[in-house]
PDB file of all heavy atoms in Angstrom:
ATOM      1  N   LEU A1417     -16.106  35.370 -20.971  1.00 42.00           N
ATOM      2  CA  LEU A1417     -15.525  34.176 -20.340  1.00 42.00           C
ATOM      3  C   LEU A1417     -15.944  32.918 -21.079  1.00 42.00           C
ATOM      4  O   LEU A1417     -15.131  32.029 -21.335  1.00 42.00           O
ATOM      5  CB  LEU A1417     -15.962  34.102 -18.878  1.00 42.00           C
ATOM      6  CG  LEU A1417     -15.461  32.897 -18.069  1.00 42.00           C
ATOM      7  CD1 LEU A1417     -13.944  32.878 -18.035  1.00 42.00           C
ATOM      8  CD2 LEU A1417     -16.040  32.924 -16.659  1.00 42.00           C
ATOM      9  N   LEU A1420     -14.086  32.661 -24.261  1.00 44.00           N
ATOM     10  CA  LEU A1420     -12.693  32.272 -24.045  1.00 44.00           C
ATOM     11  C   LEU A1420     -12.566  30.778 -23.803  1.00 44.00           C
ATOM     12  O   LEU A1420     -11.692  30.106 -24.357  1.00 44.00           O
ATOM     13  CB  LEU A1420     -12.127  33.043 -22.841  1.00 44.00           C
ATOM     14  CG  LEU A1420     -10.693  32.698 -22.419  1.00 44.00           C
ATOM     15  CD1 LEU A1420      -9.720  33.059 -23.534  1.00 44.00           C
ATOM     16  CD2 LEU A1420     -10.324  33.431 -21.138  1.00 44.00           C
ATOM     17  N   PHE A1479       2.496  -2.977 -24.043  1.00 98.00           N
ATOM     18  CA  PHE A1479       1.363  -2.267 -24.644  1.00 98.00           C
ATOM     19  C   PHE A1479       0.190  -3.222 -24.777  1.00 98.00           C
ATOM     20  O   PHE A1479       0.267  -4.214 -25.511  1.00 98.00           O
ATOM     21  CB  PHE A1479       1.767  -1.707 -26.007  1.00 98.00           C
ATOM     22  CG  PHE A1479       0.702  -0.862 -26.675  1.00 98.00           C
ATOM     23  CD1 PHE A1479       0.398   0.397 -26.186  1.00 98.00           C
ATOM     24  CD2 PHE A1479       0.032  -1.322 -27.795  1.00 98.00           C
ATOM     25  CE1 PHE A1479      -0.581   1.176 -26.802  1.00 98.00           C
ATOM     26  CE2 PHE A1479      -0.941  -0.560 -28.410  1.00 98.00           C
ATOM     27  CZ  PHE A1479      -1.248   0.699 -27.910  1.00 98.00           C
ATOM     28  N   GLY A1494       1.088   8.709 -36.541  1.00 98.00           N
ATOM     29  CA  GLY A1494       0.804   7.582 -35.658  1.00 98.00           C
ATOM     30  C   GLY A1494       1.906   6.550 -35.696  1.00 98.00           C
ATOM     31  O   GLY A1494       2.791   6.572 -36.571  1.00 98.00           O
ATOM     32  N   GLY A1512     -11.436   2.741 -32.656  1.00 95.00           N
ATOM     33  CA  GLY A1512     -11.707   1.312 -32.809  1.00 95.00           C
ATOM     34  C   GLY A1512     -10.544   0.438 -32.393  1.00 95.00           C
ATOM     35  O   GLY A1512      -9.424   0.898 -32.162  1.00 95.00           O
ATOM     36  N   SER A1589     -10.745  23.656 -40.278  1.00 95.00           N
ATOM     37  CA  SER A1589     -11.159  22.247 -40.353  1.00 95.00           C
ATOM     38  C   SER A1589     -10.091  21.295 -39.828  1.00 95.00           C
ATOM     39  O   SER A1589     -10.377  20.113 -39.611  1.00 95.00           O
ATOM     40  CB  SER A1589     -11.501  21.873 -41.800  1.00 95.00           C
ATOM     41  OG  SER A1589     -12.575  22.651 -42.282  1.00 95.00           O
ATOM     42  N   ALA A1609      -8.644  10.466 -26.542  1.00 97.00           N
ATOM     43  CA  ALA A1609      -8.645  11.726 -25.810  1.00 97.00           C
ATOM     44  C   ALA A1609      -9.282  12.836 -26.640  1.00 97.00           C
ATOM     45  O   ALA A1609      -9.841  13.789 -26.078  1.00 97.00           O
ATOM     46  CB  ALA A1609      -7.227  12.111 -25.419  1.00 97.00           C
ATOM     47  N   ASP A1648      -0.465  -8.191   6.757  1.00 41.00           N
ATOM     48  CA  ASP A1648      -0.138  -7.304   7.857  1.00 41.00           C
ATOM     49  C   ASP A1648      -1.370  -6.659   8.469  1.00 41.00           C
ATOM     50  O   ASP A1648      -1.325  -6.150   9.575  1.00 41.00           O
ATOM     51  CB  ASP A1648       0.806  -6.186   7.377  1.00 41.00           C
ATOM     52  CG  ASP A1648       2.168  -6.750   7.004  1.00 41.00           C
ATOM     53  OD1 ASP A1648       2.491  -7.828   7.539  1.00 41.00           O
ATOM     54  OD2 ASP A1648       2.873  -6.115   6.217  1.00 41.00           O
ATOM     55  N   ASP A1659       0.724 -14.636  20.910  1.00 45.00           N
ATOM     56  CA  ASP A1659       0.773 -15.338  22.192  1.00 45.00           C
ATOM     57  C   ASP A1659       0.944 -14.380  23.359  1.00 45.00           C
ATOM     58  O   ASP A1659       0.521 -14.645  24.477  1.00 45.00           O
ATOM     59  CB  ASP A1659       1.926 -16.351  22.191  1.00 45.00           C
ATOM     60  CG  ASP A1659       1.651 -17.470  21.202  1.00 45.00           C
ATOM     61  OD1 ASP A1659       0.462 -17.686  20.874  1.00 45.00           O
ATOM     62  OD2 ASP A1659       2.618 -18.115  20.768  1.00 45.00           O
ATOM     63  N   ASP A1684      -6.890 -19.114  50.351  1.00 42.00           N
ATOM     64  CA  ASP A1684      -7.389 -17.738  50.330  1.00 42.00           C
ATOM     65  C   ASP A1684      -8.356 -17.596  49.166  1.00 42.00           C
ATOM     66  O   ASP A1684      -7.980 -17.286  48.047  1.00 42.00           O
ATOM     67  CB  ASP A1684      -6.203 -16.768  50.151  1.00 42.00           C
ATOM     68  CG  ASP A1684      -6.615 -15.358  50.510  1.00 42.00           C
ATOM     69  OD1 ASP A1684      -7.800 -15.038  50.336  1.00 42.00           O
ATOM     70  OD2 ASP A1684      -5.740 -14.602  50.957  1.00 42.00           O
ATOM     71  N   ARG A1739       2.229 -12.635  58.436  1.00 47.00           N
ATOM     72  CA  ARG A1739       1.827 -11.980  59.689  1.00 47.00           C
ATOM     73  C   ARG A1739       1.078 -12.952  60.599  1.00 47.00           C
ATOM     74  O   ARG A1739       1.166 -12.927  61.811  1.00 47.00           O
ATOM     75  CB  ARG A1739       0.951 -10.780  59.403  1.00 47.00           C
ATOM     76  CG  ARG A1739       1.759  -9.605  58.859  1.00 47.00           C
ATOM     77  CD  ARG A1739       0.849  -8.368  58.754  1.00 47.00           C
ATOM     78  NE  ARG A1739       1.613  -7.254  58.290  1.00 47.00           N
ATOM     79  CZ  ARG A1739       1.110  -6.035  58.130  1.00 47.00           C
ATOM     80  NH1 ARG A1739      -0.168  -5.796  58.472  1.00 47.00           N
ATOM     81  NH2 ARG A1739       1.861  -5.059  57.683  1.00 47.00           N
TER      82      ARG A1739
END
Side-chain angles (χ1 to χ4, degrees):
L1417 179 60
L1420 177 64
F1479 184 72
S1589 299
D1648 292 336
D1659 293 338
D1684 196 330
R1739 286 187 178 182

